[in-house]
Amino acid sequence: MGRSRRTLPEELLLLALDPATGTTAQPQSLDLGLAGAQLVELALAGRIAPDGDRIAVVVPRPTGDPTLDCALELLRRRGAPVRAVHWIGGPRLGLRQTYLSHLERCGMVAAVAGQMCGVLPTTRYQATDTAISREIRTRLDSAIRTGVPPDPRTAALAALAHAVGLGKHLYPGNEGRSSRSRLRDLIRHDPMGGLVAHAVMDVQNGAAAQPRRGPASAGRQAAPGARPATEPVRGVPMQPHRGSMARAVAH
């Protein structure tokens, strides 16, 4: 995968960054959304595919993106398709910081040091190339305004933005109500994005223990030797913090 194109996790994170405060909207659900965005990006790259409400690795070849390839390898090691809701709900400490640090290295954001309560060091992130953020937002606005079915990447971005609750951040107040409704409706235009978005919402609603029934998964029995469906999936490990006191990431 060429690095000239931004990945969905990067675009979702840029959408969530508040240009005025340098903080991320919906930080807790955003972490789930980033894990889900990795799945969609891997599907767009042809590495994984949906299998009912599960995710199966179809091509284990690396993409060239280290963070995505870490997720792909973890999926491959499972040896059997994993439920999307369990993958997304698994521990992924440090995933948001990993992507923020990557965007900083690429020059898309700049880290701004500060303090919380005058004591605890904090770091906020300001977008340095606002044209990129505007381009992402324009794609989303166009899909909402025109009603024309968007391309799979934009449809998946819309589905994830809705799933993590960015609608009220992007289209606030009563005047944004119709836009938020149309953002939600875009979820139907990409099957993989829809599967992942529903999984993100299921995790937030505490429904991870119950399988999402679908035509392809009805009546399916577990493969011999497969791990229990309720077993959580381990995710990207936390990146170590530098210094004697961990920097608090902007929320």
Side-chain angles (χ1 to χ4, degrees):
M1 176 185 298
R3 293 301 298 134
S4 60
R5 184 175 65 185
R6 295 177 302 275
T7 64
L8 274 173
E10 294 164 9
E11 292 196 330
L12 183 66
L13 187 51
L14 286 171
L15 268 182
L17 273 179
D18 189 316
T21 65
T23 60
T24 53
Q26 304 297 110
Q28 293 181 341
S29 56
L30 180 62
D31 291 342
L32 302 176
L34 291 174
Q38 287 186 312
L39 293 181
V40 179
E41 190 65 50
L42 287 170
L44 289 171
R47 301 313 197 265
I48 64 175
D51 179 11
D53 67 345
R54 296 172 183 260
I55 303 297
V57 175
V58 293
V59 177
R61 185 177 69 253
T63 66
D65 180 298
T67 310
L68 289 175
D69 289 341
C70 180
L72 180 62
E73 176 62 14
L74 290 170
L75 286 166
R76 186 195 66 79
R77 288 178 185 175
R78 288 300 302 269
V82 59
R83 285 185 64 207
V85 70
H86 284 157
W87 174 261
I88 290 168
R92 271 170 187 77
L93 298 176
L95 185 57
R96 182 162 28 117
Q97 182 59 52
T98 295
Y99 276 108
L100 282 168
S101 298
H102 168 73
L103 291 176
E104 182 184 10
R105 289 192 299 271
C106 293
M108 296 185 196
V109 303
V112 180
Q115 288 185 330
M116 181 184 297
C117 302
V119 179
L120 183 64
T122 63
T123 304
R124 299 177 184 272
Y125 292 85
Q126 299 285 352
T128 56
D129 191 341
T130 56
I132 294 177
S133 298
R134 284 199 304 269
E135 183 272 329
I136 298 170
R137 178 65 182 270
T138 297
R139 280 168 41 214
L140 212 57
D141 290 345
S142 178
I144 289 174
R145 184 179 62 255
T146 64
V148 176
D151 63 274
R153 181 173 293 274
T154 302
L157 181 62
L160 289 162
H162 166 71
V164 303
L166 287 184
K168 58 187 177 183
H169 166 70
L170 299 170
Y171 308 104
N174 289 333
E175 63 276 14
R177 183 178 302 172
S178 61
S179 293
R180 293 195 298 271
S181 178
R182 287 193 289 271
L183 181 70
R184 179 194 63 219
D185 292 342
L186 290 175
I187 200 170
R188 71 181 186 274
H189 288 295
D190 180 61
M192 184 65 181
L195 168 66
V196 169
H198 282 299
V200 169
M201 291 185 285
D202 282 349
V203 172
Q204 294 179 82
N205 294 330
Q210 297 300 322
R212 176 173 288 276
R213 304 280 304 205
S217 61
R220 186 202 350 242
Q221 295 182 354
R227 299 186 185 184
T230 55
E231 181 180 348
V233 182
R234 296 190 63 82
V236 178
M238 175 176 284
Q239 302 296 316
H241 291 284
R242 295 188 296 271
S244 59
M245 181 180 293
R247 296 190 308 172
V249 179
H251 289 242

